[in-house]
Amino acid sequence: MASALRSPLVRYGMGASSAVIIFAIAFTFAEGIVQTMLFVLAVVELLIIPQVLKAAAE
């Protein structure tokens, strides 16, 4: 049975959805250094997490 993580759409969709949520929280509720850290975390979610999920699928 094939894993859902083998699909790039699923991997990048998972990363993008969590990045959007983190970005919205940072933009709405945080300020200062915490906001900057949340923006960095959102970028990591968008770029790195799909690669980790790809490795997990193999």
Side-chain angles (χ1 to χ4, degrees), residues 36-54:
T36 304
M37 290 171 48
L38 287 172
F39 287 147
V40 169
L41 181 61
V43 170
V44 168
E45 283 283 332
L46 191 59
L47 299 176
I48 304 300
I49 295 302
Q51 302 303 319
V52 172
L53 292 174
K54 181 179 179 181

Side-chain angles (χ1 to χ4, degrees), residues 10 12 19-20 22 25 31 48 50 54-56 58:
V10 171
Y12 282 98
V20 166
I22 293 170
I25 290 171
E31 59 184 36
I48 304 300
K54 181 179 179 181
E58 293 177 352

